[in-house]
Amino acid sequence: QVQLAESGGGLVQPGGSLRLSCAASGSIFNIYGMGWYRQAPGKQRELVAAITSGGSTNYADSVKGRFTISRDNAKNTVYLQMNSLKPEDTAVYYCYVLATTLLWGQGTQVTVSS
């Protein structure tokens, strides 16, 4: 059974950086895309960044120029480098993998506060 393991969340001051990782374990084939959503309290889950198997990327307007998504196909791992963090980036971040099925990570809390 394939599982996604997220890591890298935590508490950071405004202007700081964090790097999230999401590794897929188990047998997984034909990954079409990977990415990250986030959900802040009282708000809907929103797409933060996505990357296709070919390396094409897509970002929410609110994070363009600050966040960078990347992937290691050999390790079935997707990363989210988050720089210049703002309090409004505070949320639970969920990774996903789109293969023959859609898989979700358990979520990792990111809190940006002084």
Side-chain angles (χ1 to χ4, degrees):
Q1 185 176 359
V2 179
Q3 292 184 324
L4 302 184
E6 300 178 17
S7 60
L11 172 64
V12 64
Q13 292 185 341
S17 298
L18 285 174
R19 188 191 194 210
L20 306 182
S21 299
C22 175
S25 63
S27 297
I28 185 168
F29 305 98
N30 297 326
I31 294 178
Y32 304 113
M34 307 175 80
W36 297 88
Y37 275 74
R38 68 185 180 187
Q39 188 166 20
K43 295 186 177 181
Q44 290 187 332
R45 190 175 293 193
E46 63 173 351
L47 177 67
V48 177
I51 185 167
T52 68
S53 58
S56 297
T57 57
N58 183 42
Y59 296 93
D61 287 342
S62 59
V63 306
K64 284 181 180 177
R66 301 188 297 121
F67 290 11
T68 302
I69 189 170
S70 61
R71 62 188 285 177
D72 184 332
N73 291 332
K75 296 181 179 180
N76 287 336
T77 300
V78 62
Y79 306 95
L80 186 66
Q81 178 67 44
M82 305 185 293
N83 299 328
S84 302
L85 283 161
K86 304 175 180 180
E88 51 263 43
D89 295 317
T90 295
V92 178
Y93 285 69
Y94 299 89
C95 69
Y96 74 87
V97 170
L98 178 60
T100 52
T101 59
L102 178 61
L103 304 171
W104 289 96
Q106 79 282 4
T108 185
Q109 177 70 45
V110 171
T111 302
V112 185
S113 176
S114 55

